[in-house]
Amino acid sequence: AQTVTQSQPEMSVQEAETVTLSCTYDTSENNYYLFWYKQPPSRQMILVIRQEAYKQQNATENRFSVNFQKAAKSFSLKISDSQLGDTAMYFCAFMSGVGGTSYGKLTFGQGTILTVHP
Amino acid sequence: NAGVTQTPKFQVLKTGQSMTLQCAQDMNHEYMSWYRQDPGMGLRLIHYSVGAGITDQGEVPNGYNVSRSTTEDFPLRLLSAAPSQTSVYFCASKGGLATYNEQFFGPGTRLTVL
């Protein structure tokens, strides 16, 4: 079974600065997908960024980028030019890609609460 | 499209009561799933479905029952509520065969069992 670990329960950053959230995972599979989800106080789960394990290039979405280290099984999220609206809980998640049989099942980390201060 | 809808948004039950959390999606998605969110534990998979009439257990299925009679609906039943089932419940759906297709989440139901 896969496990996902987020070792930072809480993080804080000043507005306009950069912050990095850590995530490690454990799997014996070679084909899988990794995600970062944002959960603001509204409770809605919002997909931030996605990384396919077979791609060596790190994914980027505007101010959000990842550092994917497959050998180290590490998947960190970097938020540049932090904004007050980035304040939320962030979850790292793993999905197996073996044979397409994952059926969308996600394994989540414990979450990191990020607070952006003005 | 309304996306994924869940009702109710909040619910308080007494120990031993039963209830059904409703989930519906209007995107014609094959895959639907239920997660529970507890502090310090992230979201954990309860049950999932790969199509009408097909369901299977996730990581924490005990105390919950599901069925999928239509593509659109995937209700979660609590058979005899216990305080340990106090949690926030999310329904999600995913379409298409591509594994990387995005999962869409409902707004969640906060359940308190006294």
Side-chain angles (χ1 to χ4, degrees), chain A residues 84-108:
Chain A
L84 297 179
D86 295 333
T87 293
M89 173 85 84
Y90 287 82
F91 290 101
C92 179
F94 172 100
M95 178 159 58
S96 170
V98 175
T101 58
S102 68
Y103 305 127
K105 294 183 290 180
L106 291 164
T107 300
F108 286 87

PDB file of all heavy atoms in Angstrom, chain A residues 84-108:
ATOM      1  N   LEU A  84      -2.558  36.548  -0.175  1.00  0.00           N
ATOM      2  CA  LEU A  84      -3.421  36.258   0.975  1.00  0.00           C
ATOM      3  C   LEU A  84      -4.399  35.133   0.657  1.00  0.00           C
ATOM      4  O   LEU A  84      -4.745  34.325   1.520  1.00  0.00           O
ATOM      5  CB  LEU A  84      -4.177  37.521   1.397  1.00  0.00           C
ATOM      6  CG  LEU A  84      -3.316  38.686   1.890  1.00  0.00           C
ATOM      7  CD1 LEU A  84      -4.193  39.883   2.252  1.00  0.00           C
ATOM      8  CD2 LEU A  84      -2.466  38.282   3.094  1.00  0.00           C
ATOM      9  N   GLY A  85      -4.842  35.058  -0.580  1.00  0.00           N
ATOM     10  CA  GLY A  85      -5.776  34.011  -1.002  1.00  0.00           C
ATOM     11  C   GLY A  85      -5.168  32.616  -1.040  1.00  0.00           C
ATOM     12  O   GLY A  85      -5.889  31.642  -1.231  1.00  0.00           O
ATOM     13  N   ASP A  86      -3.848  32.540  -0.849  1.00  0.00           N
ATOM     14  CA  ASP A  86      -3.207  31.219  -0.802  1.00  0.00           C
ATOM     15  C   ASP A  86      -3.354  30.572   0.571  1.00  0.00           C
ATOM     16  O   ASP A  86      -3.013  29.399   0.741  1.00  0.00           O
ATOM     17  CB  ASP A  86      -1.713  31.340  -1.145  1.00  0.00           C
ATOM     18  CG  ASP A  86      -1.480  31.790  -2.575  1.00  0.00           C
ATOM     19  OD1 ASP A  86      -2.346  31.533  -3.434  1.00  0.00           O
ATOM     20  OD2 ASP A  86      -0.419  32.412  -2.823  1.00  0.00           O
ATOM     21  N   THR A  87      -3.823  31.329   1.549  1.00  0.00           N
ATOM     22  CA  THR A  87      -4.039  30.775   2.887  1.00  0.00           C
ATOM     23  C   THR A  87      -5.035  29.632   2.807  1.00  0.00           C
ATOM     24  O   THR A  87      -6.175  29.819   2.350  1.00  0.00           O
ATOM     25  CB  THR A  87      -4.548  31.861   3.849  1.00  0.00           C
ATOM     26  OG1 THR A  87      -3.515  32.815   4.062  1.00  0.00           O
ATOM     27  CG2 THR A  87      -4.966  31.262   5.184  1.00  0.00           C
ATOM     28  N   ALA A  88      -4.610  28.440   3.218  1.00  0.00           N
ATOM     29  CA  ALA A  88      -5.436  27.242   3.065  1.00  0.00           C
ATOM     30  C   ALA A  88      -4.696  26.056   3.649  1.00  0.00           C
ATOM     31  O   ALA A  88      -3.527  26.143   4.019  1.00  0.00           O
ATOM     32  CB  ALA A  88      -5.733  26.975   1.590  1.00  0.00           C
ATOM     33  N   MET A  89      -5.385  24.932   3.690  1.00  0.00           N
ATOM     34  CA  MET A  89      -4.753  23.635   3.950  1.00  0.00           C
ATOM     35  C   MET A  89      -4.341  23.076   2.585  1.00  0.00           C
ATOM     36  O   MET A  89      -5.123  23.126   1.632  1.00  0.00           O
ATOM     37  CB  MET A  89      -5.737  22.688   4.628  1.00  0.00           C
ATOM     38  CG  MET A  89      -5.248  21.264   4.793  1.00  0.00           C
ATOM     39  SD  MET A  89      -4.262  21.023   6.275  1.00  0.00           S
ATOM     40  CE  MET A  89      -5.565  20.766   7.469  1.00  0.00           C
ATOM     41  N   TYR A  90      -3.130  22.516   2.513  1.00  0.00           N
ATOM     42  CA  TYR A  90      -2.644  21.919   1.270  1.00  0.00           C
ATOM     43  C   TYR A  90      -2.394  20.431   1.492  1.00  0.00           C
ATOM     44  O   TYR A  90      -1.736  20.038   2.455  1.00  0.00           O
ATOM     45  CB  TYR A  90      -1.361  22.604   0.799  1.00  0.00           C
ATOM     46  CG  TYR A  90      -1.622  23.984   0.245  1.00  0.00           C
ATOM     47  CD1 TYR A  90      -1.749  25.077   1.092  1.00  0.00           C
ATOM     48  CD2 TYR A  90      -1.759  24.187  -1.128  1.00  0.00           C
ATOM     49  CE1 TYR A  90      -2.027  26.342   0.593  1.00  0.00           C
ATOM     50  CE2 TYR A  90      -2.024  25.454  -1.643  1.00  0.00           C
ATOM     51  CZ  TYR A  90      -2.165  26.516  -0.768  1.00  0.00           C
ATOM     52  OH  TYR A  90      -2.431  27.770  -1.273  1.00  0.00           O
ATOM     53  N   PHE A  91      -2.921  19.645   0.580  1.00  0.00           N
ATOM     54  CA  PHE A  91      -2.767  18.191   0.649  1.00  0.00           C
ATOM     55  C   PHE A  91      -1.973  17.686  -0.540  1.00  0.00           C
ATOM     56  O   PHE A  91      -2.237  18.070  -1.688  1.00  0.00           O
ATOM     57  CB  PHE A  91      -4.129  17.496   0.626  1.00  0.00           C
ATOM     58  CG  PHE A  91      -4.942  17.686   1.858  1.00  0.00           C
ATOM     59  CD1 PHE A  91      -5.978  18.608   1.904  1.00  0.00           C
ATOM     60  CD2 PHE A  91      -4.688  16.934   3.003  1.00  0.00           C
ATOM     61  CE1 PHE A  91      -6.736  18.786   3.039  1.00  0.00           C
ATOM     62  CE2 PHE A  91      -5.442  17.100   4.155  1.00  0.00           C
ATOM     63  CZ  PHE A  91      -6.471  18.022   4.171  1.00  0.00           C
ATOM     64  N   CYS A  92      -1.035  16.811  -0.254  1.00  0.00           N
ATOM     65  CA  CYS A  92      -0.329  16.065  -1.273  1.00  0.00           C
ATOM     66  C   CYS A  92      -1.082  14.744  -1.458  1.00  0.00           C
ATOM     67  O   CYS A  92      -1.564  14.161  -0.469  1.00  0.00           O
ATOM     68  CB  CYS A  92       1.100  15.818  -0.795  1.00  0.00           C
ATOM     69  SG  CYS A  92       2.144  14.871  -1.893  1.00  0.00           S
ATOM     70  N   ALA A  93      -1.192  14.261  -2.691  1.00  0.00           N
ATOM     71  CA  ALA A  93      -1.951  13.039  -2.930  1.00  0.00           C
ATOM     72  C   ALA A  93      -1.295  12.196  -4.014  1.00  0.00           C
ATOM     73  O   ALA A  93      -0.680  12.722  -4.945  1.00  0.00           O
ATOM     74  CB  ALA A  93      -3.396  13.356  -3.310  1.00  0.00           C
ATOM     75  N   PHE A  94      -1.457  10.887  -3.881  1.00  0.00           N
ATOM     76  CA  PHE A  94      -0.861   9.901  -4.788  1.00  0.00           C
ATOM     77  C   PHE A  94      -1.981   9.115  -5.458  1.00  0.00           C
ATOM     78  O   PHE A  94      -2.976   8.764  -4.814  1.00  0.00           O
ATOM     79  CB  PHE A  94       0.017   8.953  -3.964  1.00  0.00           C
ATOM     80  CG  PHE A  94       0.552   7.764  -4.724  1.00  0.00           C
ATOM     81  CD1 PHE A  94       1.863   7.772  -5.202  1.00  0.00           C
ATOM     82  CD2 PHE A  94      -0.216   6.625  -4.930  1.00  0.00           C
ATOM     83  CE1 PHE A  94       2.371   6.669  -5.886  1.00  0.00           C
ATOM     84  CE2 PHE A  94       0.278   5.537  -5.613  1.00  0.00           C
ATOM     85  CZ  PHE A  94       1.579   5.560  -6.088  1.00  0.00           C
ATOM     86  N   MET A  95      -1.810   8.829  -6.743  1.00  0.00           N
ATOM     87  CA  MET A  95      -2.740   7.949  -7.437  1.00  0.00           C
ATOM     88  C   MET A  95      -1.952   6.964  -8.281  1.00  0.00           C
ATOM     89  O   MET A  95      -1.100   7.365  -9.079  1.00  0.00           O
ATOM     90  CB  MET A  95      -3.712   8.740  -8.313  1.00  0.00           C
ATOM     91  CG  MET A  95      -4.681   7.840  -9.091  1.00  0.00           C
ATOM     92  SD  MET A  95      -6.168   8.666  -9.647  1.00  0.00           S
ATOM     93  CE  MET A  95      -5.507   9.959 -10.621  1.00  0.00           C
ATOM     94  N   SER A  96      -2.245   5.689  -8.110  1.00  0.00           N
ATOM     95  CA  SER A  96      -1.581   4.653  -8.882  1.00  0.00           C
ATOM     96  C   SER A  96      -1.980   4.748 -10.348  1.00  0.00           C
ATOM     97  O   SER A  96      -3.128   5.052 -10.670  1.00  0.00           O
ATOM     98  CB  SER A  96      -1.962   3.278  -8.334  1.00  0.00           C
ATOM     99  OG  SER A  96      -1.506   2.264  -9.199  1.00  0.00           O
ATOM    100  N   GLY A  97      -1.025   4.473 -11.204  1.00  0.00           N
ATOM    101  CA  GLY A  97      -1.341   4.473 -12.623  1.00  0.00           C
ATOM    102  C   GLY A  97      -1.184   3.103 -13.245  1.00  0.00           C
ATOM    103  O   GLY A  97      -1.221   2.948 -14.446  1.00  0.00           O
ATOM    104  N   VAL A  98      -1.022   2.090 -12.384  1.00  0.00           N
ATOM    105  CA  VAL A  98      -0.756   0.750 -12.883  1.00  0.00           C
ATOM    106  C   VAL A  98      -1.969   0.214 -13.612  1.00  0.00           C
ATOM    107  O   VAL A  98      -3.028   0.052 -13.022  1.00  0.00           O
ATOM    108  CB  VAL A  98      -0.390  -0.198 -11.711  1.00  0.00           C
ATOM    109  CG1 VAL A  98      -0.227  -1.618 -12.208  1.00  0.00           C
ATOM    110  CG2 VAL A  98       0.872   0.281 -11.038  1.00  0.00           C
ATOM    111  N   GLY A  99      -1.815  -0.049 -14.881  1.00  0.00           N
ATOM    112  CA  GLY A  99      -2.860  -0.676 -15.670  1.00  0.00           C
ATOM    113  C   GLY A  99      -4.160   0.088 -15.708  1.00  0.00           C
ATOM    114  O   GLY A  99      -5.195  -0.476 -16.045  1.00  0.00           O
ATOM    115  N   GLY A 100      -4.143   1.350 -15.341  1.00  0.00           N
ATOM    116  CA  GLY A 100      -5.376   2.133 -15.360  1.00  0.00           C
ATOM    117  C   GLY A 100      -6.406   1.656 -14.362  1.00  0.00           C
ATOM    118  O   GLY A 100      -7.573   2.008 -14.449  1.00  0.00           O
ATOM    119  N   THR A 101      -5.984   0.864 -13.396  1.00  0.00           N
ATOM    120  CA  THR A 101      -6.960   0.283 -12.480  1.00  0.00           C
ATOM    121  C   THR A 101      -7.118   1.076 -11.198  1.00  0.00           C
ATOM    122  O   THR A 101      -7.733   0.620 -10.256  1.00  0.00           O
ATOM    123  CB  THR A 101      -6.549  -1.146 -12.102  1.00  0.00           C
ATOM    124  OG1 THR A 101      -5.250  -1.106 -11.511  1.00  0.00           O
ATOM    125  CG2 THR A 101      -6.537  -2.038 -13.317  1.00  0.00           C
ATOM    126  N   SER A 102      -6.534   2.261 -11.149  1.00  0.00           N
ATOM    127  CA  SER A 102      -6.637   3.005  -9.897  1.00  0.00           C
ATOM    128  C   SER A 102      -8.046   3.520  -9.671  1.00  0.00           C
ATOM    129  O   SER A 102      -8.407   3.816  -8.540  1.00  0.00           O
ATOM    130  CB  SER A 102      -5.662   4.177  -9.917  1.00  0.00           C
ATOM    131  OG  SER A 102      -6.075   5.135 -10.874  1.00  0.00           O
ATOM    132  N   TYR A 103      -8.829   3.656 -10.747  1.00  0.00           N
ATOM    133  CA  TYR A 103     -10.214   4.120 -10.628  1.00  0.00           C
ATOM    134  C   TYR A 103     -10.314   5.457  -9.915  1.00  0.00           C
ATOM    135  O   TYR A 103     -11.315   5.762  -9.279  1.00  0.00           O
ATOM    136  CB  TYR A 103     -11.076   3.082  -9.903  1.00  0.00           C
ATOM    137  CG  TYR A 103     -11.012   1.724 -10.544  1.00  0.00           C
ATOM    138  CD1 TYR A 103     -10.699   0.608  -9.791  1.00  0.00           C
ATOM    139  CD2 TYR A 103     -11.234   1.561 -11.903  1.00  0.00           C
ATOM    140  CE1 TYR A 103     -10.627  -0.649 -10.369  1.00  0.00           C
ATOM    141  CE2 TYR A 103     -11.164   0.308 -12.494  1.00  0.00           C
ATOM    142  CZ  TYR A 103     -10.855  -0.788 -11.724  1.00  0.00           C
ATOM    143  OH  TYR A 103     -10.787  -2.024 -12.299  1.00  0.00           O
ATOM    144  N   GLY A 104      -9.272   6.227 -10.006  1.00  0.00           N
ATOM    145  CA  GLY A 104      -9.309   7.538  -9.375  1.00  0.00           C
ATOM    146  C   GLY A 104      -9.093   7.523  -7.883  1.00  0.00           C
ATOM    147  O   GLY A 104      -9.312   8.529  -7.221  1.00  0.00           O
ATOM    148  N   LYS A 105      -8.665   6.410  -7.328  1.00  0.00           N
ATOM    149  CA  LYS A 105      -8.474   6.354  -5.882  1.00  0.00           C
ATOM    150  C   LYS A 105      -7.227   7.127  -5.484  1.00  0.00           C
ATOM    151  O   LYS A 105      -6.139   6.875  -5.989  1.00  0.00           O
ATOM    152  CB  LYS A 105      -8.352   4.900  -5.433  1.00  0.00           C
ATOM    153  CG  LYS A 105      -9.619   4.089  -5.618  1.00  0.00           C
ATOM    154  CD  LYS A 105      -9.453   2.681  -5.083  1.00  0.00           C
ATOM    155  CE  LYS A 105      -8.516   1.878  -5.942  1.00  0.00           C
ATOM    156  NZ  LYS A 105      -8.347   0.501  -5.444  1.00  0.00           N
ATOM    157  N   LEU A 106      -7.422   8.039  -4.557  1.00  0.00           N
ATOM    158  CA  LEU A 106      -6.328   8.893  -4.095  1.00  0.00           C
ATOM    159  C   LEU A 106      -5.915   8.508  -2.679  1.00  0.00           C
ATOM    160  O   LEU A 106      -6.764   8.227  -1.833  1.00  0.00           O
ATOM    161  CB  LEU A 106      -6.755  10.355  -4.102  1.00  0.00           C
ATOM    162  CG  LEU A 106      -6.965  11.000  -5.480  1.00  0.00           C
ATOM    163  CD1 LEU A 106      -7.748  12.302  -5.337  1.00  0.00           C
ATOM    164  CD2 LEU A 106      -5.635  11.260  -6.152  1.00  0.00           C
ATOM    165  N   THR A 107      -4.599   8.559  -2.437  1.00  0.00           N
ATOM    166  CA  THR A 107      -4.052   8.442  -1.091  1.00  0.00           C
ATOM    167  C   THR A 107      -3.494   9.807  -0.711  1.00  0.00           C
ATOM    168  O   THR A 107      -2.624  10.334  -1.415  1.00  0.00           O
ATOM    169  CB  THR A 107      -2.944   7.378  -1.033  1.00  0.00           C
ATOM    170  OG1 THR A 107      -3.485   6.117  -1.429  1.00  0.00           O
ATOM    171  CG2 THR A 107      -2.391   7.271   0.383  1.00  0.00           C
ATOM    172  N   PHE A 108      -3.987  10.357   0.396  1.00  0.00           N
ATOM    173  CA  PHE A 108      -3.639  11.714   0.791  1.00  0.00           C
ATOM    174  C   PHE A 108      -2.626  11.735   1.927  1.00  0.00           C
ATOM    175  O   PHE A 108      -2.576  10.818   2.772  1.00  0.00           O
ATOM    176  CB  PHE A 108      -4.883  12.461   1.278  1.00  0.00           C
ATOM    177  CG  PHE A 108      -5.820  12.882   0.177  1.00  0.00           C
ATOM    178  CD1 PHE A 108      -6.800  12.022  -0.280  1.00  0.00           C
ATOM    179  CD2 PHE A 108      -5.728  14.144  -0.390  1.00  0.00           C
ATOM    180  CE1 PHE A 108      -7.668  12.399  -1.290  1.00  0.00           C
ATOM    181  CE2 PHE A 108      -6.586  14.532  -1.395  1.00  0.00           C
ATOM    182  CZ  PHE A 108      -7.560  13.662  -1.849  1.00  0.00           C
TER     183      PHE A 108
END
